[in-house]
Structures are given as structure tokens and as C-alpha cells.
Amino acid sequence: MNYSIAIDGPSGAGKSTLAKAIAARLGFYYVDTGAIYRTVGLYVARQGGNCAVPADVEPLLPAIQIGMEYGEDGLQHMILNGEDVTAAIRENAVSQYASQVSAIPAVREFLLEMQRGLAKRHSVIMDGRDIGTVVLPDADIKVYLTASVEERALRRWKELQAKGDGTPLETVKEQIIQRDYADSHREIAPLRQAEDAVVLDTSELDLEESIEALYNIVKERIDL
Ligand code: DC
């Protein structure tokens, strides 16, 4: 029997870090769906397309082969037409491309079966924006993970600093506010809390506390 855990929430709430930690504890597959949208955005941008324009993006979809491999490093490696783009999709500009392509219905349709297929074959903890609402509406557990804008901006800024990206904190915060707005106001599969989701706000929690809080939510709901 396969279990599925859906984690949704805004950018920078810590979804991937927490989901990865819980997946490792439970022996589940961790599926970072944002990485899949990032891979599509990267491809379109590399082809010179405008990620916000459906007529630019749609014709390119059939040429995109996306692979996911789980390395010994525990990372979900994204393979775009044979090339490992795991690092490239984390560049700051790609966040914007991903948000733009993700508002295009044909892109969401293109990726839906891939995401559902993974959950059919494995026990998964999957994170994104619409996992509990659209991709896996029957997930065993749904969590809406969030934190204040200030806290999320600070976390993202620290991550960028560690990679040598000097984007100022105020800019990072502005980008997060814009992305929150775009992700939650688009017509198709907007970011929203599923009615049956448990809300976990990590603004006041450090990493270890957040992991424990999420683990407790899971433990109370499925028989491990
Ligand atoms: O989680 P992330 O920041 O890597 O996601 C990048 C973008 O992809 C985000 O701005 C919205 C989009 N996305 C989405 O629309 N649906 C998902 N399930 C995951 C991500």
C-alpha cells in the first residue's frame, strides 16, 4: 500500500527542506514539484521564449523530456533532455520563469500525469502549490506549510548569500510578495489551502522544531 503526503504553501516556507527530512525518516520518495516547473521554465528561457506567453511556451512542450533521479546525495536530480540541471534551476531568475510557466494551463496538464504517476508507484511526500487541491486530492495527509513574509524572505536571502548571490534582502522580499500574489491569484490551480489540510506555521520554529512538528502531524495520522 502506498501512502501520499501533500505539502503545499508559499515560496520559502521551508516545504522542500522539511519534506526531504520527513521522506528520509519514513523511507518515502520526496517529490519536489516546483523543481519540475523550474525545469520547464529553464528550457523555455534557454530557447529564447517568453515564459509568460503561452504561444511561446506551448509549442516547446513536446520537446521537453524531464527525468528525475534520486542520487546517493539524497537529492532529487532534475534531468532535462539528458542534462543534469539540478543546480541551474536554483538560480534566482528561474524562480520567476517557473512561476510564469506554471500559470499556463497546458503546462499544468503536461505535468499532471507525471506527478500522479509517481504517487501511484511509490509512497510519496510531494510538495508544491496545488498538491492537496488538484494533483493528489485523495492524499492521506495534507499539510499547508506557511511562515510570515519577513521570515521567508530572510531564509531565502540567507540561501542566496550562501551561494554568492548578493541580491539585497528588500529585493528578495519584494520578489516573494510578487510570487505569492501571482501563485495565489492565477486562474488555474492557484495556491490555496485545501479544506482538509492541517496548517503548520513555522515563523516561530527553527528547523529542528519544524521537522518535529511535521513529523508529529504525520505520525498522528498514519500508522507507521
Ligand atoms: O516551490 P518553488 O519555488 O520551487 O516553485 C517554483 C514555482 O513553480 C512557483 O512560483 C509556483 C510554481 N509551482 C506551481 O505552480 N505548482 C506546484 N505544484 C509547484 C510549483
Side-chain angles (χ1 to χ4, degrees):
M1 146 129 197
N2 287 329
Y3 287 112
S4 54
I5 304 174
I7 314 273
D8 291 301
S11 308
K15 295 185 299 290
S16 7
T17 313
L18 298 194
K20 208 182 298 172
I22 300 297
R25 270 205 205 178
L26 302 179
F28 285 15
Y29 264 51
Y30 164 54
V31 183
D32 171 358
T33 64
I36 311 177
Y37 287 94
R38 286 170 180 270
T39 303
V40 173
L42 178 69
Y43 181 79
V44 173
R46 280 183 174 178
Q47 299 302 310
N50 181 336
C51 289
V53 176
D56 273 18
V57 177
E58 287 170 14
L60 295 175
L61 294 178
I64 304 180
Q65 279 282 349
I66 297 177
M68 290 169 60
E69 287 174 7
Y70 293 86
E72 300 246 313
D73 51 10
L75 279 184
Q76 168 187 303
H77 284 257
M78 297 306 300
I79 315 294
L80 169 60
N81 294 337
E83 176 193 348
D84 190 326
V85 293
T86 312
I89 59 166
R90 295 295 154 198
E91 281 168 27
N92 207 24
V94 182
S95 303
Q96 181 70 16
Y97 303 150
S99 187
Q100 290 171 332
V101 295
S102 76
I104 301 175
V107 171
R108 305 204 74 88
E109 195 56 39
F110 177 67
L111 300 181
L112 191 60
E113 283 317 305
M114 175 181 182
Q115 298 170 78
R116 286 189 177 155
L118 285 163
K120 230 176 248 159
R121 293 190 297 275
H122 313 277
S123 281
V124 293
I125 178 160
M126 190 175 280
D127 84 37
R129 304 293 188 289
D130 62 334
I131 308 304
T133 51
V134 176
V135 180
L136 305 176
D138 297 325
D140 297 287
I141 302 176
K142 299 178 186 179
V143 177
Y144 189 81
L145 192 70
T146 189
S148 67
V149 170
E150 286 72 26
E151 185 58 33
R152 290 188 285 125
L154 193 63
R155 292 176 189 168
R156 177 93 184 108
W157 176 76
K158 283 185 188 159
E159 251 174 46
L160 290 171
Q161 289 272 308
K163 285 194 298 190
D165 180 327
T167 311
L169 179 58
E170 261 316 297
T171 311
V172 175
K173 188 174 160 191
E174 271 313 307
Q175 289 171 342
I176 286 201
I177 291 171
Q178 272 172 24
R179 214 139 64 89
D180 281 357
Y181 187 87
D183 293 345
S184 50
H185 287 79
R186 64 176 180 228
E187 260 172 47
I188 180 155
L191 166 65
R192 69 178 173 83
Q193 187 191 318
E195 274 170 24
D196 47 351
V198 182
V199 180
L200 176 58
D201 186 323
T202 65
S203 305
E204 307 287 329
L205 305 180
D206 67 20
L207 180 60
E208 277 312 309
E209 292 166 338
S210 304
I211 293 174
E212 277 317 303
L214 181 55
Y215 188 66
N216 286 335
I217 291 173
V218 172
K219 219 169 45 179
E220 279 165 18
R221 285 166 180 82
I222 54 179
D223 213 5
L224 298 169

